[in-house]
Amino acid sequence: MDNPAAARSPTTCWRANLTDALGDGRSAVVVAPGGVTDCWERAARGGMAPVLVIAATERALDRRAEALAERHDLIAAAVHGDLRADALTAVREQLAAGHYDVALVPGRHLGDPRVRAALEAMPARLVVVERAHRLATHGWEFDPSWLRIATLIEALGPPPVLAATEVASAAACDEIARRLGIVDALQIVSDLAPGNLRLEVRNLAAMRDRDRNLLALMQDAPERAVIFVADLVEAERIAEMVEERCGIATGVFAPGDGAVLRGFRQGSVRALVTVTSLEPGADVPPVPLVVHYDIPPGLEQYVRQALVAGRDGAPATSVLLYDRATLPAMERRALGRLPAPGQLLAIYRAIADADGSALPYATLSRLTGLHPLDVHLSVEMLCLGGAVETAARGDEWIAARAVAQPNDAIHEASMQLDGLMRARQEHMEQIVAWIRSSMCRRRSLLQRLGHDGPEEAEGSCCDRCAPEEVGPLPDAPAPGYPLHVGDLRGWAVDLYRRPGDVQPASKAGELVHALKYQRADGAAQRLAWMMAKRVRMTPILRSCDLMVPVPPRDQADVRSPAALLCEPLALLCKREMVHALVSVGERLPQESLTSWSEKKRNISGAFKLAAGVDLADRTVLLVDDIFDSGATMLEAARVLRSAGAKDVCMLAAVRTTSRWRRET
């Protein structure tokens, strides 16, 4: 590393070196895939309390505080902006009096002046910064919230600092130390490419080959596997495919979904499909196989994902499925989500209109089309630029007022975003160069991150050093995406991308658009052929003996897209088709509504059974052109079941990528 004070300690002794350094009052930047929680807990028990911990998220902070008391007899407080004003005042007084050994605070909440005042009253003897890579623009998860940590440290004395992250390049480590004002810090890097982990890249020609290779890997029946995917809708498709074709219990994991993670730990779920990296030190069982279905956006993200495998020291494998045709999609995901000046201005105006009232990020996301992470990035840039003043905040909301014209803040933010875009572009180029390199993958990986690596190739550590022949691949599955709403199940042939989506429109999506808005009958025939293939390949759809189109809002519309699809589909599948439902009453177009509750209320009572239709003991396949929230299908199925249908399944030409939050 460039820092002359940096040190790379052997894996066997670096924890002891770190404990000694903290005991001597020295700050440290530590890169350790397993985390350093045990180190600062030991320091707190050894006389360095009180300890202030800057955590990644508000989620589970209370449970962490309880665990510290139960396991280590450390009295801990979770300090965050969602506490009532009187509770925050009480916590501030108790922190000032030294009643707590540990204070846990989410990094995003440092912009809350009430939280900040409570922390500044604390006589902290050690500050721990988790996920410290968020300080570095060289890192992928740069978060401006973390920039407030340096002034907080200064206000506290400053005490020694332990900045920890599971993976970071040498450049990111140096930037972390600089931004925290600890340029003389000890730098420790644990093993980022352990010898028990085989790194493998498979060069493929198409998405169908990705599916076939994934199925081949899963059919070897690993005890457990984790599959990393870039898109939640794709994750659902892959989970359904693996479970259906390989007979392996599979779950889709998203942040906060503890039930799926518990199932994975207990063994009821053997394959975990996830769009997020697992937290460092997460309580997961040994994983012998990690599959990267999509190219991670950078080498640091790749390493975070790969190191989920082999944590127990047993032999493990990380397989990246590389299809060069996915590179444009990777670039759109990485660069297409950064906020534009117009979106920054829209957020500023929304905050001005709210005038101090709590404003959820979900509202700003719907307003701007930005991902919630980039909404947060925008809000922070407006705050740090002086255009907005925060009164209170949480992980996913802010209460603030506009205090200055936004022009200067937006200009400054635009310059910072240009820098972030360049950094992200460099990350993408770096991982693609690593994929294509002919060097030992382990050695090349460490060198590209700026860390020391082995001088020579090491046995079977990668597919470059010890290539392995790939055996016969199973047939590719039929195209399709699973549908779930209530207790209804079904499939869509493909995705319907909305304007602003990072992915381009699919072929099926283009045909649906032509059918729906141009009334192109030829599009219906082609879609029906694609849908018939899905029916033939899917047992639950194949078992249906009657096809029913979802009726149009205007019952006089005899050329509705659903009916135009259902007629040729029934002929291709040799099934009976019946217009079993008719629309009644007036209602708004479902696409004009923006919440699940509005859609459900709007469609309630919208259908009735057509005269003379007998559904007793019939298994019905409900057919529509687009599946969005599922509220329409759910209401139609309710009417069909009330009329005696034995079972109802769903089939749509396409489904949207919207994620509707069910309100109970």
Side-chain angles (χ1 to χ4, degrees):
M1 298 180 186
D2 294 336
N3 191 333
R8 188 177 188 277
S9 301
T11 303
T12 54
C13 66
W14 70 262
R15 292 182 184 274
N17 291 349
L18 175 60
T19 301
D20 291 343
L22 294 176
D24 293 338
R26 188 177 181 189
S27 294
V29 176
V30 180
V31 179
V36 296
T37 301
D38 60 326
C39 296
W40 67 255
E41 287 175 349
R42 193 180 305 115
R45 295 195 305 272
M48 293 196 71
V51 177
L52 171 59
V53 180
I54 313 296
T57 175
E58 181 184 341
R59 192 167 52 248
L61 275 195
D62 290 325
R63 288 200 298 273
R64 287 185 66 180
E66 293 169 3
L68 285 169
E70 292 171 1
R71 293 201 307 261
H72 305 297
D73 200 28
L74 293 171
I75 308 303
V79 187
H80 51 81
D82 287 314
L83 293 173
R84 298 193 315 272
D86 57 338
L88 267 174
T89 300
V91 168
R92 176 181 178 178
E93 293 171 355
Q94 292 164 352
L95 287 173
H99 292 169
Y100 287 106
D101 299 311
V102 178
L104 302 161
V105 60
R108 285 189 177 185
H109 296 221
L110 295 178
D112 187 323
R114 306 165 305 153
V115 171
R116 178 72 176 235
L119 299 178
E120 289 182 353
M122 179 183 181
R125 299 186 64 187
L126 174 66
V127 175
V128 179
V129 182
E130 298 180 341
R131 308 301 290 271
H133 59 272
R134 293 185 177 181
L135 281 156
T137 52
H138 286 92
W140 190 261
E141 293 182 312
F142 172 68
D143 186 338
S145 304
W146 260 242
L147 299 179
R148 295 188 174 91
I149 297 174
T151 56
L152 175 60
I153 291 170
E154 191 65 31
L156 290 172
V161 177
L162 169 55
T165 182
E166 60 270 30
V167 182
S169 66
C173 288
D174 292 338
E175 187 176 359
I176 289 166
R178 178 174 57 80
R179 288 192 180 276
L180 291 175
I182 52 171
V183 291
D184 62 340
L186 174 70
Q187 289 190 8
I188 299 174
V189 180
S190 181
D191 195 353
L192 297 180
N196 67 305
L197 179 60
R198 174 181 167 84
L199 305 180
E200 183 178 331
V201 176
R202 295 190 182 182
N203 288 280
L204 312 173
M207 189 177 86
R208 288 166 60 86
D209 289 335
R210 283 198 289 166
D211 285 345
R212 296 176 69 199
N213 275 266
L214 175 61
L215 290 172
L217 288 165
M218 300 306 296
Q219 284 174 350
D220 287 341
E223 182 179 353
R224 284 186 177 85
V226 175
I227 305 166
F228 288 98
V229 184
D231 183 271
L232 194 52
V233 177
E234 282 292 335
E236 293 173 351
R237 180 188 72 83
I238 288 167
E240 196 88 16
M241 177 184 72
V242 169
E243 186 151 338
E244 182 181 280
R245 294 286 296 271
C246 304
I248 294 174
T250 307
V252 176
F253 174 71
D257 194 348
V260 173
L261 203 55
R262 280 194 299 275
F264 190 62
R265 281 198 294 264
Q266 296 165 1
S268 58
V269 174
R270 282 179 56 198
L272 199 67
V273 187
T274 177
V275 295
T276 182
S277 296
L278 301 179
E279 295 291 330
D283 182 17
V284 296
V287 176
L289 174 65
V290 161
V291 181
H292 314 264
Y293 186 84
D294 291 294
I295 307 169
L299 276 180
E300 293 175 37
Q301 290 73 16
Y302 167 77
V303 174
R304 286 191 192 104
Q305 295 176 6
L307 289 179
V308 170
R311 288 182 178 179
D312 59 342
T317 304
S318 164
V319 181
L320 192 158
L321 304 178
Y322 173 57
D323 171 11
R324 62 183 302 172
T326 64
L327 291 177
M330 172 191 175
E331 186 170 356
R332 283 188 294 270
R333 282 194 300 270
L335 305 181
R337 288 176 172 171
L338 288 174
Q343 291 167 317
L344 291 167
L345 182 59
I347 290 174
Y348 170 84
R349 287 173 174 167
I351 291 173
D353 291 342
D355 194 28
S357 299
L359 193 57
Y361 281 178
T363 300
L364 296 174
S365 182
R366 287 194 297 270
L367 175 68
T368 61
L370 289 171
H371 188 279
L373 288 175
D374 294 311
V375 167
H376 170 70
L377 181 66
S378 304
V379 167
E380 284 298 321
M381 287 185 166
L382 290 171
C383 291
L384 293 171
V388 168
E389 185 175 80
T390 304
R393 71 167 311 139
D395 264 11
E396 301 296 336
W397 60 272
I398 186 169
R401 289 183 170 84
V403 295
Q405 289 299 313
N407 297 5
D408 290 344
I410 289 176
H411 176 71
E412 180 65 26
S414 297
M415 294 178 63
Q416 293 181 40
L417 290 169
D418 285 344
L420 284 178
M421 187 171 293
R422 287 193 297 272
R424 291 187 179 186
Q425 186 73 49
E426 290 170 3
H427 280 288
M428 290 186 296
E429 292 171 354
Q430 186 182 51
I431 190 170
V432 172
W434 173 78
I435 288 170
R436 295 173 176 173
S437 171
S438 60
M439 289 175 59
C440 165
R441 294 210 182 275
R442 183 183 182 204
R443 181 154 53 104
S444 174
L445 175 70
L446 293 172
Q447 289 180 359
R448 290 175 190 278
L449 289 175
H451 301 310
D452 295 334
E455 292 299 323
E456 301 296 334
E458 298 187 0
S460 60
C461 69
C462 71
D463 60 298
R464 294 301 193 205
C465 298
E468 292 182 357
E469 185 176 348
V470 177
L473 299 177
D475 293 335
Y481 290 82
L483 305 178
H484 306 279
V485 58
D487 62 348
L488 283 180
R489 297 293 181 268
W491 285 84
V493 170
D494 215 325
L495 298 181
Y496 188 67
R497 303 289 184 178
R498 294 186 180 279
D501 278 345
V502 298
Q503 298 276 14
S506 65
K507 188 61 181 177
E510 292 174 351
L511 290 171
V512 166
H513 188 84
L515 174 65
K516 196 174 184 72
Y517 299 107
Q518 301 167 10
R519 297 302 172 106
D521 291 354
Q525 297 289 338
R526 295 175 66 185
L527 284 167
W529 183 87
M530 298 164 72
M531 296 166 77
K533 184 177 180 181
R534 182 74 254 181
V535 171
R536 288 192 293 270
M537 297 287 290
T538 309
I540 64 166
L541 303 183
R542 200 167 56 240
S543 66
C544 295
D545 55 24
L546 180 67
M547 294 188 176
V548 174
V550 173
R553 186 164 53 95
D554 180 3
Q555 194 59 41
D557 185 6
V558 295
R559 289 173 51 79
S560 69
L564 290 173
L565 284 173
C566 201
E567 290 172 3
L569 177 63
L571 289 173
L572 287 167
C573 296
K574 298 179 181 179
R575 299 292 193 277
E576 181 185 359
M577 172 194 160
V578 175
H579 290 277
L581 297 171
V582 294
S583 292
V584 294
E586 297 284 334
R587 67 178 187 269
L588 297 170
Q590 288 288 83
E591 60 267 25
S592 68
L593 305 175
T594 58
S595 74
W596 165 254
S597 58
E598 289 176 329
K599 288 175 177 283
K600 187 177 179 182
R601 187 165 51 248
N602 182 60
I603 204 68
S604 179
F607 307 126
K608 71 175 184 179
L609 194 69
V613 174
D614 182 10
L615 298 178
D617 294 325
R618 303 297 295 270
T619 302
V620 177
L621 183 58
L622 194 57
V623 178
D624 207 354
D625 57 334
I626 299 177
F627 178 96
D628 187 32
S629 68
T632 301
M633 289 276 204
L634 198 60
E635 177 63 17
R638 184 191 65 79
V639 175
L640 295 172
R641 285 169 170 169
S642 298
K646 183 169 61 176
D647 198 7
V648 179
C649 297
M650 303 179 289
L651 179 63
V654 292
R655 63 163 289 180
T656 68
T657 54
S658 301
R659 297 290 303 172
W660 293 96
R661 183 174 182 175
R662 307 299 195 258
E663 300 167 7
T664 57

